[in-house]
Each structure stands twice: as structure tokens, then as C-alpha cells.
Amino acid sequence: MTLIENSKKSLIQTYKKYPIEIVKGNASYVWDSKGKKYLDLYGGHAVSIIGHCPKVVLNAINKQMHSLLFYSNIFYTKPATLLAEKLAETLYPEKYQVYFANSGSEANETAIKIVRRYTGKNHIVSFNNSFHGRSMTSLAVTGINSYQQFSPNHNLYTTFAALGSIESVELAINKNTAAVICEPIQSIAGLKMAKKSFYKKLEALCKKKKILLIFDEVQTGLGRTGNFWFSKSLGINPDVITTAKGLASGLPISAVLLKEKISKTIKAGEHASTFGGGPVVCSAALATISSILKKGFLQDVKDKSKYIKSKLLELPNVTELSGEGLLLGVHFKKPIPNLVKKCLNNGLIIGSSCDPFTIRLMPSLSINKKDIDLFLKIFNSILN
Ligand code: PLP
């Protein structure tokens, strides 16, 4: 039996997989078990944020794992403290404290638990087409119908508003509303976003109504949009920010950043996680974000985004681009059947979305010009 057959036999089939076994990665490339090389514009689902197997991260993991692989949160470890300090610094002068979890869903789950605990209220306003994860509470605030197969009673404590319509948010708020949760660029939905002025109005409305604002920056955070935080680039300071994906370049970690007015009210024992903030994963994250925070790195992301956008608009059947930085949606005049598969056949990985007219690009932020040009060449020839 082949590995793929064995895998189908032993693994629960929750994923629709392509029949390819990935064995190696380096920078913007991965290789399959047959030795075929793929240019990765999907970035391992936006996780390989500074490329596959970045040396700085491998070195940091290697160094840490030889002194301490793991200890739980009953003791102090240096990497978690340094990482929390570094993340909080990125939001200066606002004061935040950090909690580490293991996935985007868990970060959002934690955020909702904390806003409910802080406000003493249960109701959450979320947005149509948003995605916040697959655990029960993060699913309950996810606004894409096809994810609601397990009926997590999302109507009980969630009201969905339309992203971009402040009136619909106002209508959705009630006396029991604890917070609004917002995925500011709705990635899986097809890179849908509101006008930038909307997010400022959203922050002002939350302040006026005395409810909290959670920004789900699981995808938009950590430099993905050409800014370390998308919220900061919009000029807003959400009460809670969640992030995950590329934080440790592929090791599982997520973070919840809370304004100190909230975090300082939390007592020991009210929340915890065995693996959250472990020393190896935090060392990997420190190396990752130190690279992103290097002088000129984010400007370079912006420049590459501008270049790639200008070239994509010249391609056949492309009607529009959306997103920011290197989180991009390419919209077509009509759905192109099997586009992802055709790209794979040609050694290129791109991402699909829930919108059949839209594909997603979320490459490594370190992708170089030569690889961008190669992507444009392959993509152009497929579209032609
Ligand atoms: N929030 C957003 C915006 C996401 O894109 C995702 C995952 O794609 C999640 C939450 C859930 O993250 P995870 O799959 O790590 O639980």
C-alpha cells in the first residue's frame, strides 16, 4: 500500500487532500516524495510566514530543545516572557498583556471566555462570512454557513452583522452584548473587507456602547498586511487581539493580547493550557518575529505587494484584487474550473476560497522578486 492509501485507512478523513506527499521545504519551495518541486504561494496556509524551514528559526529551536524541551506553566521560562514582552512592545504606547495558547481557534475561544467574564454578559456580535475557528465557541461566531454542520447553537448568543455596515452592527448590539469580534480581512470567505473608515467607526461604536472589540488577527497579524498589526495600521486599538498562523513559523502557538484594564482583572486558575507558551515554540516565535521586525522588512512586504498587484491586474480574466500586503485575493470574471489542480500540475501552490470566483495568495513574506516573477509567469501561462 502507498502512504496515501495507508493514510486514508488510518486518519479520519476530515480533510479533502490533494494526492501529494510533501517531504521537504526551503524558503518559498516545497518538494514532494517524487522529487517534484513546487513554488508555494499558499505558504502552508499562511503559516510559513518567513519561508519554509528558516535557518534562524531552526537554530533557535535547536538551541532551546537541547537545554529544555518543555515544562508547563507552573514554573517560569525565559522564552515565553521574552516573547510576551516583544509582542506587547509592538502595540506601544497602548499597554497589553499576553496569554499563549496553541491554535487560532483556541485563541478566539479564550478571547470570548475572557470578554464574557470581564463584562458579565454573554452575547457576541460577529460578521457574516467571518471565520474564527472550529472549536465550539469559535464556530459559534463563525459567519460561514457551510461550517455550521455541528449546530453549535450559534443563534443563541451570536448575532451576525454585515462587514462594512455600521448600522447593521448597531442593530445587532443588545443589552447582553459583551463584545464584537471582527476578522478584518475575511480570508477564507474570499478576501472580503470593508472600507478602512468602517473599522474606526466600529471602534468608536464599541466605545460608545461600552462593549469590547476583539480583532481576530490570526491571518492579518505579524506583518502579513505589510504592517505588524492590521489594526494598528487602521489607527485603532482593539481591546483584544488574537493571532496565530505564522507566529512560530509552523510550530503550534497562538496569542491573545489583552488591554491591561482587562488582563489585570484575571485571577490565577481562571484559564490555562498545558502546552501554551512552551519554551521551544516560544523560541521559534521569537526568532520569527525578530526577523519580521527587522528594519525595512515590512516596507519590503509593501513593495512586493504593490509589484505583484500591478502584474496580476494584467493577467487574463482577472477583474479585481483585494486584501492587503501579501494576503491577496485574485477575483476572476468567472470561476476557473480546477485552477488549484492545474497550478499544482505546473508546480505551483495557490489557495482556494469559499468564493468560486476568488483564489488566495499568502506566500512567505520573504518571497524574493525572482520567485514572484516565476509565479506570475506560471500563473499567466495557466490562465492563458
Ligand atoms: N481565525 C482566522 C481568521 C483563521 O483564518 C483561522 C484559520 O484559518 C482561525 C481563526 C482558526 O485557526 P486554527 O485553525 O489555528 O484553529
Side-chain angles (χ1 to χ4, degrees), residues 325-340:
L326 291 177
L327 179 60
L328 293 173
V330 185
H331 307 269
F332 295 100
K333 230 179 247 155
K334 52 182 193 290
I336 300 179
N338 297 319
L339 182 56
V340 175

Side-chain angles (χ1 to χ4, degrees), residues 163-165 184 193-201 230 234:
L163 189 69
S165 163
M193 60 190 286
K195 280 193 191 135
K196 290 195 176 166
S197 56
F198 168 78
Y199 303 98
K200 261 201 161 295
K201 285 185 202 155
F230 187 51
L234 296 166

Side-chain angles (χ1 to χ4, degrees), residues 45 103-106 108 131-134 183 216 218-219 244-245:
H45 203 150
S103 68
S105 304
E106 194 188 338
N108 287 328
F131 182 79
H132 297 292
R134 290 179 172 86
E183 180 194 12
D216 176 343
V218 165
Q219 286 211 25
K245 292 287 183 205

Side-chain angles (χ1 to χ4, degrees), residues 103-119:
S103 68
S105 304
E106 194 188 338
N108 287 328
E109 194 82 18
T110 303
I112 292 169
K113 180 176 171 184
I114 289 170
V115 296
R116 284 182 170 155
R117 138 86 176 65
Y118 181 75
T119 59

Side-chain angles (χ1 to χ4, degrees), residues 88-380:
E89 255 170 40
T90 62
L91 290 161
Y92 184 81
E94 290 295 323
K95 287 191 170 164
Y96 286 79
Q97 283 186 307
V98 184
Y99 173 84
F100 292 119
N102 307 283
S103 68
S105 304
E106 194 188 338
N108 287 328
E109 194 82 18
T110 303
I112 292 169
K113 180 176 171 184
I114 289 170
V115 296
R116 284 182 170 155
R117 138 86 176 65
Y118 181 75
T119 59
K121 296 175 179 181
N122 273 331
H123 177 255
I124 306 287
V125 175
S126 182
F127 291 95
N128 296 324
N129 298 313
S130 62
F131 182 79
H132 297 292
R134 290 179 172 86
S135 60
M136 289 315 253
T137 310
S138 60
L139 197 57
V141 294
T142 285
I144 299 175
N145 289 341
S146 58
Y147 288 101
Q148 298 296 349
Q149 329 74 326
F150 298 115
S151 301
N153 296 328
H154 65 282
N155 290 331
L156 223 51
Y157 293 118
T158 313
T159 304
F160 292 95
L163 189 69
S165 163
I166 207 70
E167 295 75 22
S168 81
V169 181
E170 206 151 3
L171 278 175
I173 293 170
N174 65 40
K175 277 193 187 129
N176 192 31
T177 301
V180 175
I181 184 166
C182 178
E183 180 194 12
I185 301 177
Q186 297 177 330
S187 177
I188 185 95
L191 277 298
K192 296 181 195 307
M193 60 190 286
K195 280 193 191 135
K196 290 195 176 166
S197 56
F198 168 78
Y199 303 98
K200 261 201 161 295
K201 285 185 202 155
L202 181 64
E203 184 188 46
L205 178 64
C206 288
K207 277 200 177 126
K208 189 174 127 196
K209 300 276 184 184
K210 295 194 169 44
I211 59 180
L212 300 175
L213 178 59
I214 306 169
F215 249 47
D216 176 343
E217 295 227 36
V218 165
Q219 286 211 25
T220 57
L222 313 175
R224 175 59 58 193
T225 67
N227 310 282
F228 196 80
W229 300 110
F230 187 51
S231 47
K232 207 168 176 191
S233 77
L234 296 166
I236 67 173
N237 302 297
D239 300 290
V240 186
I241 298 173
T242 57
T243 197
K245 292 287 183 205
L247 181 52
S249 286
L251 296 191
I253 184 173
S254 60
V256 183
L257 293 102
L258 295 173
K259 275 194 180 161
E260 279 192 2
K261 68 171 182 189
I262 307 167
S263 62
K264 297 249 159 128
T265 68
I266 297 170
K267 297 183 195 83
E270 287 187 339
H271 199 57
S273 155
T274 296
F275 293 112
V280 173
V281 74
C282 286
S283 298
L286 266 170
T288 305
I289 66 169
S290 299
S291 300
I292 296 169
L293 290 168
K294 276 206 174 121
K295 205 167 168 244
F297 185 95
L298 291 173
Q299 184 54 49
D300 195 38
V301 172
K302 285 185 181 145
D303 294 344
K304 286 187 279 203
S305 172
K306 212 166 153 191
Y307 176 70
I308 212 169
K309 277 179 175 169
S310 70
K311 297 287 175 188
L312 280 169
L313 281 171
E314 293 167 4
L315 299 185
N317 287 316
V318 172
T319 54
E320 200 192 331
L321 302 172
S322 59
E324 285 278 313
L326 291 177
L327 179 60
L328 293 173
V330 185
H331 307 269
F332 295 100
K333 230 179 247 155
K334 52 182 193 290
I336 300 179
N338 297 319
L339 182 56
V340 175
K341 248 189 204 163
K342 284 176 192 158
C343 288
L344 285 174
N345 291 341
N346 285 277
L348 174 67
I349 310 176
I350 58 165
S352 60
S353 78
C354 290
D355 178 350
F357 291 82
T358 305
I359 62 103
R360 289 187 291 164
L361 304 175
M362 31 213 193
S364 151
L365 304 183
S366 309
I367 189 168
N368 60 35
K369 168 109 180 351
K370 191 167 141 255
D371 291 338
I372 292 175
D373 284 336
L374 179 60
F375 152 67
L376 291 164
K377 194 172 152 209
I378 303 171
F379 203 44
N380 187 20

